[in-house]
Amino acid sequence: MRRKLAAGNWKMNGTGPALAELESLAHTFPDPSVDILICPPATLLHRASQTVHHTGIAVGGQDCHAATSGAHTGDLSAEMLKDTGANSVILGHSERREDHGEQNEDVRAKARTAMDAGLTTIICVGESLEQREAANTLDIIGGQMSGSIPDQSTGENLVVAYEPIWAIGTGKVPTLEEIGEVHDFMRARLERRFGEGVGRSVRLLYGGSVKPSNAAEIFGVSNVDGALVGGASLKAEDFSGIIRALEGA
Ligand code: 13P
């Protein structure tokens, strides 16, 4: 059985006072029946880890470098993330692919280093609106998966997040059929590449305008094992609604 995962991506939002949201989450879910992960900005990682220490909530980074150390001003290594108390890292988010020109090979190299460091990697894939309208969605997702996911992946160190670019921060969400089609396709790809055992154990998240009001129906879709949430993860109250929907799924 795959353990469900509610992951929050705070992106470039939050300073010290935002830690109160984590305290509130920990208070609301003293013994969560699903995995809860918050990925705050790197400046908050250490304090966030301390805040959720001994609770059912984990913290993760939003990116890391492919090298283990060296002359890379402004970058962070996977070991450094671990050192803050993080157990996971989001890699290949469409905003990194777009803002920093990250290609599939870059994401794969980062994922290798992150897995070697013992981090769980959440690798993001997703099509643009143009690609969807041209009926290229599955080709794009398939290509991103083969290019970005390293060979050493297992059900423990890999999570794949399907985030259609046009659904991120827009309030637009694919139909449940569209989400199901992509998630079933991703499951089949993983099973073909890694075998049934590993392929079936990797968790698949949906991300893009997930809210308390639409979470339950999304969590009812086949092969959706949780969500990667942006805006609605910033406030404990909103994220709690999503976690509750996942606990009930
Ligand atoms: P929103 O939930 O704000 O649409 O963002 C989704 C996302 O990009 C999570 O990584």
Side-chain angles (χ1 to χ4, degrees), residues 163-225:
E163 298 206 313
I165 297 169
W166 51 274
I168 295 177
T170 58
K172 290 185 192 143
V173 178
T175 64
L176 301 180
E177 290 69 28
E178 286 168 337
I179 295 175
E181 181 190 30
V182 173
H183 279 243
D184 288 349
F185 171 79
M186 295 198 297
R187 178 71 62 212
R189 293 280 298 208
L190 289 169
E191 286 181 14
R192 203 172 71 198
R193 176 164 166 198
F194 295 104
E196 274 192 9
V198 169
R200 281 189 190 164
S201 63
V202 173
R203 291 176 289 179
L204 303 180
L205 308 183
Y206 167 77
S209 297
V210 177
K211 308 261 178 295
S213 56
N214 62 16
E217 56 179 25
I218 292 171
F219 295 147
V221 175
S222 83
N223 281 310
V224 173
D225 303 309

Short mmCIF file of all heavy atoms in Angstrom, two decimals, residues 163-225:
data_model
loop_
_atom_site.label_atom_id
_atom_site.label_comp_id
_atom_site.label_asym_id
_atom_site.label_seq_id
_atom_site.Cartn_x
_atom_site.Cartn_y
_atom_site.Cartn_z
N GLU A 163 1.99 18.14 -12.55
CA GLU A 163 1.52 19.51 -12.39
C GLU A 163 1.36 20.17 -13.77
O GLU A 163 2.34 20.70 -14.32
CB GLU A 163 2.52 20.33 -11.57
CG GLU A 163 2.73 19.82 -10.16
CD GLU A 163 3.18 20.92 -9.21
OE1 GLU A 163 4.10 21.69 -9.56
OE2 GLU A 163 2.57 21.04 -8.14
N PRO A 164 0.15 20.14 -14.32
CA PRO A 164 -0.05 20.83 -15.60
C PRO A 164 0.27 22.32 -15.40
O PRO A 164 -0.27 22.94 -14.48
CB PRO A 164 -1.54 20.62 -15.90
CG PRO A 164 -2.10 19.78 -14.81
CD PRO A 164 -1.09 19.61 -13.75
N ILE A 165 1.13 22.86 -16.24
CA ILE A 165 1.61 24.23 -16.03
C ILE A 165 0.44 25.23 -16.02
O ILE A 165 0.42 26.16 -15.22
CB ILE A 165 2.63 24.61 -17.13
CG1 ILE A 165 3.85 23.69 -17.03
CG2 ILE A 165 3.08 26.07 -17.01
CD1 ILE A 165 4.81 23.78 -18.21
N TRP A 166 -0.54 24.96 -16.86
CA TRP A 166 -1.67 25.89 -16.99
C TRP A 166 -2.63 25.82 -15.78
O TRP A 166 -3.51 26.66 -15.65
CB TRP A 166 -2.44 25.59 -18.28
CG TRP A 166 -2.82 24.14 -18.44
CD1 TRP A 166 -2.04 23.14 -18.97
CD2 TRP A 166 -4.03 23.52 -18.03
NE1 TRP A 166 -2.71 21.94 -18.91
CE2 TRP A 166 -3.92 22.16 -18.35
CE3 TRP A 166 -5.19 23.98 -17.42
CZ2 TRP A 166 -4.95 21.25 -18.08
CZ3 TRP A 166 -6.21 23.09 -17.16
CH2 TRP A 166 -6.08 21.73 -17.48
N ALA A 167 -2.42 24.85 -14.92
CA ALA A 167 -3.29 24.73 -13.74
C ALA A 167 -2.63 25.32 -12.49
O ALA A 167 -3.27 25.43 -11.44
CB ALA A 167 -3.64 23.26 -13.49
N ILE A 168 -1.36 25.71 -12.60
CA ILE A 168 -0.63 26.19 -11.42
C ILE A 168 -0.99 27.65 -11.14
O ILE A 168 -0.76 28.53 -11.97
CB ILE A 168 0.89 26.04 -11.62
CG1 ILE A 168 1.26 24.56 -11.72
CG2 ILE A 168 1.65 26.73 -10.49
CD1 ILE A 168 2.72 24.30 -12.00
N GLY A 169 -1.59 27.87 -9.98
CA GLY A 169 -1.90 29.24 -9.55
C GLY A 169 -2.97 29.92 -10.37
O GLY A 169 -3.14 31.13 -10.28
N THR A 170 -3.71 29.17 -11.17
CA THR A 170 -4.69 29.78 -12.07
C THR A 170 -6.13 29.54 -11.65
O THR A 170 -7.04 30.18 -12.17
CB THR A 170 -4.55 29.20 -13.49
OG1 THR A 170 -4.74 27.78 -13.40
CG2 THR A 170 -3.19 29.51 -14.09
N GLY A 171 -6.34 28.61 -10.73
CA GLY A 171 -7.70 28.23 -10.38
C GLY A 171 -8.31 27.26 -11.39
O GLY A 171 -9.41 26.78 -11.22
N LYS A 172 -7.54 26.96 -12.46
CA LYS A 172 -8.03 25.99 -13.45
C LYS A 172 -7.51 24.60 -13.09
O LYS A 172 -6.35 24.46 -12.72
CB LYS A 172 -7.52 26.34 -14.84
CG LYS A 172 -8.12 27.58 -15.41
CD LYS A 172 -7.64 27.77 -16.84
CE LYS A 172 -8.00 29.17 -17.31
NZ LYS A 172 -6.96 29.76 -18.15
N VAL A 173 -8.38 23.61 -13.22
CA VAL A 173 -7.98 22.24 -12.89
C VAL A 173 -8.42 21.35 -14.04
O VAL A 173 -9.51 21.55 -14.59
CB VAL A 173 -8.67 21.80 -11.56
CG1 VAL A 173 -8.32 20.37 -11.22
CG2 VAL A 173 -8.29 22.72 -10.42
N PRO A 174 -7.62 20.36 -14.43
CA PRO A 174 -8.08 19.43 -15.46
C PRO A 174 -9.32 18.69 -14.97
O PRO A 174 -9.58 18.65 -13.77
CB PRO A 174 -6.91 18.45 -15.61
CG PRO A 174 -5.75 19.04 -14.88
CD PRO A 174 -6.29 20.01 -13.89
N THR A 175 -10.05 18.09 -15.89
CA THR A 175 -11.18 17.26 -15.46
C THR A 175 -10.62 16.03 -14.74
O THR A 175 -9.44 15.68 -14.91
CB THR A 175 -12.01 16.77 -16.66
OG1 THR A 175 -11.18 15.91 -17.45
CG2 THR A 175 -12.51 17.94 -17.51
N LEU A 176 -11.48 15.38 -13.96
CA LEU A 176 -11.02 14.19 -13.24
C LEU A 176 -10.57 13.12 -14.22
O LEU A 176 -9.63 12.38 -13.97
CB LEU A 176 -12.14 13.68 -12.33
CG LEU A 176 -12.64 14.70 -11.28
CD1 LEU A 176 -13.75 14.09 -10.43
CD2 LEU A 176 -11.50 15.21 -10.40
N GLU A 177 -11.24 13.06 -15.38
CA GLU A 177 -10.86 12.09 -16.40
C GLU A 177 -9.45 12.39 -16.92
O GLU A 177 -8.65 11.49 -17.15
CB GLU A 177 -11.84 12.11 -17.59
CG GLU A 177 -13.22 11.55 -17.29
CD GLU A 177 -14.05 12.42 -16.34
OE1 GLU A 177 -13.84 13.67 -16.32
OE2 GLU A 177 -14.88 11.87 -15.61
N GLU A 178 -9.17 13.69 -17.12
CA GLU A 178 -7.84 14.07 -17.62
C GLU A 178 -6.75 13.74 -16.59
O GLU A 178 -5.67 13.26 -16.94
CB GLU A 178 -7.82 15.57 -17.96
CG GLU A 178 -8.58 15.88 -19.25
CD GLU A 178 -8.84 17.38 -19.47
OE1 GLU A 178 -8.83 18.17 -18.50
OE2 GLU A 178 -9.06 17.77 -20.63
N ILE A 179 -7.05 14.00 -15.32
CA ILE A 179 -6.06 13.68 -14.27
C ILE A 179 -5.84 12.17 -14.24
O ILE A 179 -4.71 11.68 -14.21
CB ILE A 179 -6.53 14.19 -12.89
CG1 ILE A 179 -6.61 15.73 -12.89
CG2 ILE A 179 -5.60 13.69 -11.78
CD1 ILE A 179 -7.18 16.33 -11.61
N GLY A 180 -6.94 11.42 -14.29
CA GLY A 180 -6.85 9.96 -14.24
C GLY A 180 -6.07 9.40 -15.42
O GLY A 180 -5.27 8.47 -15.26
N GLU A 181 -6.28 9.97 -16.58
CA GLU A 181 -5.58 9.48 -17.78
C GLU A 181 -4.07 9.63 -17.60
O GLU A 181 -3.29 8.70 -17.88
CB GLU A 181 -6.05 10.27 -19.01
CG GLU A 181 -5.40 9.80 -20.29
CD GLU A 181 -5.66 10.71 -21.49
OE1 GLU A 181 -5.84 11.94 -21.29
OE2 GLU A 181 -5.68 10.20 -22.62
N VAL A 182 -3.64 10.81 -17.11
CA VAL A 182 -2.20 11.04 -16.95
C VAL A 182 -1.65 10.16 -15.83
O VAL A 182 -0.57 9.55 -15.98
CB VAL A 182 -1.91 12.54 -16.67
CG1 VAL A 182 -0.44 12.74 -16.34
CG2 VAL A 182 -2.31 13.38 -17.88
N HIS A 183 -2.37 10.05 -14.72
CA HIS A 183 -1.83 9.26 -13.60
C HIS A 183 -1.76 7.76 -13.95
O HIS A 183 -0.80 7.09 -13.57
CB HIS A 183 -2.65 9.52 -12.32
CG HIS A 183 -2.23 10.79 -11.63
ND1 HIS A 183 -1.69 10.81 -10.37
CD2 HIS A 183 -2.23 12.08 -12.06
CE1 HIS A 183 -1.39 12.07 -10.06
NE2 HIS A 183 -1.72 12.86 -11.05
N ASP A 184 -2.75 7.26 -14.66
CA ASP A 184 -2.70 5.85 -15.08
C ASP A 184 -1.52 5.64 -16.03
O ASP A 184 -0.81 4.63 -15.97
CB ASP A 184 -4.00 5.43 -15.78
CG ASP A 184 -5.16 5.32 -14.79
OD1 ASP A 184 -4.91 5.36 -13.55
OD2 ASP A 184 -6.32 5.22 -15.23
N PHE A 185 -1.32 6.61 -16.91
CA PHE A 185 -0.21 6.55 -17.87
C PHE A 185 1.14 6.56 -17.12
O PHE A 185 2.03 5.76 -17.42
CB PHE A 185 -0.31 7.76 -18.81
CG PHE A 185 0.88 7.95 -19.70
CD1 PHE A 185 1.06 7.19 -20.86
CD2 PHE A 185 1.84 8.92 -19.39
CE1 PHE A 185 2.17 7.39 -21.68
CE2 PHE A 185 2.95 9.12 -20.21
CZ PHE A 185 3.11 8.35 -21.35
N MET A 186 1.24 7.45 -16.10
CA MET A 186 2.51 7.52 -15.34
C MET A 186 2.76 6.21 -14.61
O MET A 186 3.89 5.71 -14.57
CB MET A 186 2.47 8.69 -14.35
CG MET A 186 2.40 10.06 -15.02
SD MET A 186 2.86 11.43 -13.91
CE MET A 186 1.60 11.34 -12.67
N ARG A 187 1.71 5.63 -14.04
CA ARG A 187 1.86 4.35 -13.32
C ARG A 187 2.36 3.28 -14.30
O ARG A 187 3.29 2.52 -13.99
CB ARG A 187 0.52 3.94 -12.70
CG ARG A 187 0.53 2.60 -11.98
CD ARG A 187 1.31 2.62 -10.67
NE ARG A 187 0.71 3.55 -9.73
CZ ARG A 187 1.42 4.25 -8.83
NH1 ARG A 187 2.72 4.10 -8.73
NH2 ARG A 187 0.82 5.08 -8.02
N ALA A 188 1.75 3.22 -15.47
CA ALA A 188 2.14 2.19 -16.45
C ALA A 188 3.60 2.39 -16.88
O ALA A 188 4.35 1.41 -17.02
CB ALA A 188 1.20 2.26 -17.66
N ARG A 189 4.00 3.64 -17.09
CA ARG A 189 5.40 3.91 -17.47
C ARG A 189 6.38 3.44 -16.40
O ARG A 189 7.42 2.86 -16.68
CB ARG A 189 5.63 5.43 -17.65
CG ARG A 189 4.91 6.07 -18.79
CD ARG A 189 5.57 5.86 -20.11
NE ARG A 189 6.91 6.42 -20.19
CZ ARG A 189 7.45 6.84 -21.32
NH1 ARG A 189 6.76 6.80 -22.44
NH2 ARG A 189 8.68 7.29 -21.34
N LEU A 190 6.03 3.74 -15.14
CA LEU A 190 6.92 3.35 -14.04
C LEU A 190 7.01 1.83 -13.94
O LEU A 190 8.09 1.27 -13.71
CB LEU A 190 6.42 3.94 -12.71
CG LEU A 190 6.58 5.47 -12.56
CD1 LEU A 190 5.81 5.97 -11.34
CD2 LEU A 190 8.06 5.86 -12.45
N GLU A 191 5.88 1.15 -14.11
CA GLU A 191 5.88 -0.31 -14.01
C GLU A 191 6.70 -0.92 -15.15
O GLU A 191 7.42 -1.90 -14.95
CB GLU A 191 4.44 -0.84 -14.05
CG GLU A 191 3.70 -0.60 -12.76
CD GLU A 191 2.28 -1.16 -12.79
OE1 GLU A 191 1.95 -1.95 -13.69
OE2 GLU A 191 1.49 -0.77 -11.91
N ARG A 192 6.59 -0.31 -16.33
CA ARG A 192 7.33 -0.83 -17.48
C ARG A 192 8.83 -0.64 -17.27
O ARG A 192 9.63 -1.52 -17.56
CB ARG A 192 6.88 -0.11 -18.75
CG ARG A 192 7.14 -0.92 -20.00
CD ARG A 192 6.50 -0.27 -21.20
NE ARG A 192 7.21 0.95 -21.56
CZ ARG A 192 6.71 1.91 -22.33
NH1 ARG A 192 5.50 1.81 -22.79
NH2 ARG A 192 7.43 2.97 -22.63
N ARG A 193 9.21 0.51 -16.73
CA ARG A 193 10.64 0.80 -16.60
C ARG A 193 11.28 0.11 -15.39
O ARG A 193 12.41 -0.37 -15.46
CB ARG A 193 10.85 2.31 -16.50
CG ARG A 193 12.30 2.70 -16.27
CD ARG A 193 12.56 4.16 -16.55
NE ARG A 193 13.87 4.54 -16.01
CZ ARG A 193 14.25 5.77 -15.78
NH1 ARG A 193 13.42 6.77 -16.02
NH2 ARG A 193 15.44 6.04 -15.30
N PHE A 194 10.58 0.10 -14.27
CA PHE A 194 11.19 -0.38 -13.02
C PHE A 194 10.65 -1.73 -12.56
O PHE A 194 11.09 -2.24 -11.54
CB PHE A 194 10.98 0.66 -11.90
CG PHE A 194 11.68 1.97 -12.16
CD1 PHE A 194 10.97 3.09 -12.57
CD2 PHE A 194 13.06 2.09 -12.02
CE1 PHE A 194 11.61 4.30 -12.83
CE2 PHE A 194 13.72 3.29 -12.26
CZ PHE A 194 12.99 4.40 -12.66
N GLY A 195 9.69 -2.28 -13.29
CA GLY A 195 9.06 -3.52 -12.86
C GLY A 195 7.86 -3.20 -11.99
O GLY A 195 7.75 -2.09 -11.45
N GLU A 196 6.99 -4.21 -11.84
CA GLU A 196 5.72 -3.96 -11.14
C GLU A 196 5.91 -3.57 -9.69
O GLU A 196 5.22 -2.69 -9.17
CB GLU A 196 4.83 -5.20 -11.21
CG GLU A 196 4.01 -5.24 -12.45
CD GLU A 196 2.92 -6.28 -12.41
OE1 GLU A 196 2.69 -6.88 -11.33
OE2 GLU A 196 2.31 -6.49 -13.47
N GLY A 197 6.85 -4.22 -9.01
CA GLY A 197 7.03 -3.96 -7.57
C GLY A 197 7.36 -2.51 -7.30
O GLY A 197 6.65 -1.82 -6.57
N VAL A 198 8.43 -2.03 -7.92
CA VAL A 198 8.84 -0.63 -7.72
C VAL A 198 7.81 0.31 -8.36
O VAL A 198 7.38 1.29 -7.76
CB VAL A 198 10.25 -0.37 -8.31
CG1 VAL A 198 10.57 1.13 -8.34
CG2 VAL A 198 11.31 -1.11 -7.49
N GLY A 199 7.39 -0.03 -9.56
CA GLY A 199 6.46 0.83 -10.29
C GLY A 199 5.19 1.09 -9.53
O GLY A 199 4.62 2.19 -9.59
N ARG A 200 4.74 0.10 -8.79
CA ARG A 200 3.49 0.25 -8.03
C ARG A 200 3.69 0.95 -6.70
O ARG A 200 2.73 1.35 -6.05
CB ARG A 200 2.86 -1.12 -7.76
CG ARG A 200 2.14 -1.62 -8.97
CD ARG A 200 1.33 -2.85 -8.65
NE ARG A 200 0.86 -3.43 -9.90
CZ ARG A 200 0.38 -4.65 -10.01
NH1 ARG A 200 0.31 -5.42 -8.95
NH2 ARG A 200 -0.03 -5.08 -11.18
N SER A 201 4.95 1.04 -6.26
CA SER A 201 5.18 1.62 -4.92
C SER A 201 5.51 3.11 -4.96
O SER A 201 5.49 3.77 -3.93
CB SER A 201 6.29 0.84 -4.20
OG SER A 201 7.49 0.97 -4.91
N VAL A 202 5.78 3.64 -6.15
CA VAL A 202 6.10 5.07 -6.25
C VAL A 202 4.80 5.88 -6.12
O VAL A 202 3.80 5.58 -6.77
CB VAL A 202 6.75 5.38 -7.62
CG1 VAL A 202 6.94 6.88 -7.81
CG2 VAL A 202 8.09 4.65 -7.74
N ARG A 203 4.86 6.90 -5.26
CA ARG A 203 3.65 7.71 -5.09
C ARG A 203 3.53 8.78 -6.17
O ARG A 203 4.51 9.39 -6.56
CB ARG A 203 3.64 8.34 -3.70
CG ARG A 203 3.45 7.26 -2.64
CD ARG A 203 3.54 7.79 -1.26
NE ARG A 203 4.89 8.19 -0.91
CZ ARG A 203 5.20 8.71 0.28
NH1 ARG A 203 4.26 8.91 1.18
NH2 ARG A 203 6.44 9.03 0.55
N LEU A 204 2.30 8.98 -6.63
CA LEU A 204 2.02 9.95 -7.69
C LEU A 204 1.12 11.06 -7.12
O LEU A 204 0.02 10.77 -6.64
CB LEU A 204 1.30 9.27 -8.86
CG LEU A 204 2.03 8.09 -9.51
CD1 LEU A 204 1.18 7.52 -10.66
CD2 LEU A 204 3.40 8.50 -10.03
N LEU A 205 1.62 12.29 -7.18
CA LEU A 205 0.84 13.42 -6.66
C LEU A 205 0.26 14.23 -7.81
O LEU A 205 0.88 14.34 -8.87
CB LEU A 205 1.74 14.35 -5.83
CG LEU A 205 2.57 13.71 -4.72
CD1 LEU A 205 3.34 14.81 -3.96
CD2 LEU A 205 1.69 12.92 -3.76
N TYR A 206 -0.89 14.82 -7.57
CA TYR A 206 -1.41 15.81 -8.51
C TYR A 206 -1.16 17.20 -7.92
O TYR A 206 -1.32 17.40 -6.70
CB TYR A 206 -2.93 15.63 -8.76
CG TYR A 206 -3.45 16.86 -9.48
CD1 TYR A 206 -3.21 17.02 -10.85
CD2 TYR A 206 -4.05 17.91 -8.78
CE1 TYR A 206 -3.56 18.18 -11.50
CE2 TYR A 206 -4.41 19.08 -9.43
CZ TYR A 206 -4.17 19.20 -10.78
OH TYR A 206 -4.50 20.37 -11.43
N GLY A 207 -0.77 18.17 -8.75
CA GLY A 207 -0.60 19.55 -8.28
C GLY A 207 -1.11 20.54 -9.30
O GLY A 207 -0.98 20.33 -10.52
N GLY A 208 -1.69 21.62 -8.81
CA GLY A 208 -2.23 22.66 -9.69
C GLY A 208 -3.61 23.06 -9.21
O GLY A 208 -4.58 22.35 -9.45
N SER A 209 -3.65 24.18 -8.45
CA SER A 209 -4.92 24.73 -7.95
C SER A 209 -5.72 23.75 -7.09
O SER A 209 -6.96 23.76 -7.15
CB SER A 209 -5.77 25.26 -9.12
OG SER A 209 -5.10 26.33 -9.77
N VAL A 210 -5.02 22.93 -6.30
CA VAL A 210 -5.72 22.07 -5.35
C VAL A 210 -6.16 22.94 -4.17
O VAL A 210 -5.38 23.74 -3.64
CB VAL A 210 -4.84 20.91 -4.84
CG1 VAL A 210 -5.58 20.08 -3.80
CG2 VAL A 210 -4.39 20.04 -6.01
N LYS A 211 -7.44 22.80 -3.80
CA LYS A 211 -8.03 23.58 -2.71
C LYS A 211 -8.82 22.63 -1.81
O LYS A 211 -9.14 21.52 -2.25
CB LYS A 211 -9.04 24.59 -3.29
CG LYS A 211 -8.53 25.47 -4.42
CD LYS A 211 -8.13 26.84 -3.90
CE LYS A 211 -7.56 27.74 -4.96
NZ LYS A 211 -6.29 27.32 -5.55
N PRO A 212 -9.20 23.10 -0.61
CA PRO A 212 -10.04 22.23 0.22
C PRO A 212 -11.32 21.84 -0.52
O PRO A 212 -11.83 20.74 -0.35
CB PRO A 212 -10.36 23.11 1.44
CG PRO A 212 -9.27 24.12 1.51
CD PRO A 212 -8.83 24.36 0.10
N SER A 213 -11.84 22.73 -1.37
CA SER A 213 -13.12 22.48 -2.04
C SER A 213 -13.04 21.46 -3.18
O SER A 213 -14.05 20.86 -3.53
CB SER A 213 -13.69 23.79 -2.58
OG SER A 213 -12.74 24.40 -3.43
N ASN A 214 -11.87 21.25 -3.77
CA ASN A 214 -11.80 20.27 -4.87
C ASN A 214 -10.94 19.05 -4.54
O ASN A 214 -10.80 18.13 -5.34
CB ASN A 214 -11.30 20.92 -6.18
CG ASN A 214 -9.89 21.50 -6.06
OD1 ASN A 214 -9.15 21.16 -5.14
ND2 ASN A 214 -9.49 22.35 -7.00
N ALA A 215 -10.34 19.06 -3.32
CA ALA A 215 -9.36 18.02 -2.99
C ALA A 215 -10.00 16.62 -2.97
O ALA A 215 -9.44 15.68 -3.55
CB ALA A 215 -8.72 18.33 -1.64
N ALA A 216 -11.17 16.49 -2.34
CA ALA A 216 -11.74 15.15 -2.16
C ALA A 216 -11.98 14.48 -3.51
O ALA A 216 -11.67 13.30 -3.69
CB ALA A 216 -13.03 15.23 -1.36
N GLU A 217 -12.54 15.22 -4.47
CA GLU A 217 -12.82 14.57 -5.76
C GLU A 217 -11.53 14.19 -6.49
O GLU A 217 -11.46 13.15 -7.12
CB GLU A 217 -13.74 15.43 -6.64
CG GLU A 217 -13.24 16.83 -6.91
CD GLU A 217 -14.19 17.63 -7.81
OE1 GLU A 217 -15.39 17.32 -7.82
OE2 GLU A 217 -13.70 18.56 -8.49
N ILE A 218 -10.50 15.05 -6.34
CA ILE A 218 -9.22 14.73 -6.98
C ILE A 218 -8.61 13.48 -6.34
O ILE A 218 -8.08 12.61 -7.02
CB ILE A 218 -8.26 15.94 -6.90
CG1 ILE A 218 -8.79 17.08 -7.78
CG2 ILE A 218 -6.84 15.54 -7.33
CD1 ILE A 218 -8.04 18.40 -7.63
N PHE A 219 -8.72 13.38 -5.01
CA PHE A 219 -8.15 12.22 -4.31
C PHE A 219 -8.91 10.93 -4.61
O PHE A 219 -8.44 9.84 -4.30
CB PHE A 219 -8.08 12.48 -2.80
CG PHE A 219 -7.14 13.61 -2.44
CD1 PHE A 219 -7.40 14.44 -1.35
CD2 PHE A 219 -6.01 13.86 -3.20
CE1 PHE A 219 -6.54 15.48 -1.01
CE2 PHE A 219 -5.14 14.91 -2.88
CZ PHE A 219 -5.41 15.72 -1.78
N GLY A 220 -10.09 11.07 -5.20
CA GLY A 220 -10.86 9.88 -5.57
C GLY A 220 -10.41 9.30 -6.91
O GLY A 220 -10.84 8.22 -7.30
N VAL A 221 -9.55 10.01 -7.62
CA VAL A 221 -9.12 9.56 -8.96
C VAL A 221 -8.07 8.45 -8.81
O VAL A 221 -7.22 8.49 -7.92
CB VAL A 221 -8.53 10.75 -9.76
CG1 VAL A 221 -7.96 10.29 -11.09
CG2 VAL A 221 -9.59 11.83 -9.96
N SER A 222 -8.11 7.48 -9.73
CA SER A 222 -7.20 6.34 -9.62
C SER A 222 -5.75 6.80 -9.77
O SER A 222 -5.44 7.69 -10.57
CB SER A 222 -7.53 5.28 -10.67
OG SER A 222 -6.94 5.60 -11.90
N ASN A 223 -4.89 6.20 -8.98
CA ASN A 223 -3.45 6.49 -8.99
C ASN A 223 -3.08 7.91 -8.56
O ASN A 223 -1.98 8.37 -8.82
CB ASN A 223 -2.83 6.20 -10.37
CG ASN A 223 -2.59 4.71 -10.55
OD1 ASN A 223 -2.00 4.08 -9.67
ND2 ASN A 223 -3.07 4.16 -11.64
N VAL A 224 -3.99 8.59 -7.87
CA VAL A 224 -3.64 9.87 -7.23
C VAL A 224 -3.39 9.53 -5.75
O VAL A 224 -4.30 9.15 -5.03
CB VAL A 224 -4.75 10.92 -7.37
CG1 VAL A 224 -4.43 12.16 -6.54
CG2 VAL A 224 -4.93 11.30 -8.84
N ASP A 225 -2.13 9.67 -5.34
CA ASP A 225 -1.74 9.28 -3.98
C ASP A 225 -1.58 10.49 -3.06
O ASP A 225 -1.05 10.36 -1.95
CB ASP A 225 -0.42 8.50 -4.01
CG ASP A 225 -0.52 7.28 -4.91
OD1 ASP A 225 -1.46 6.50 -4.73
OD2 ASP A 225 0.35 7.12 -5.80
#
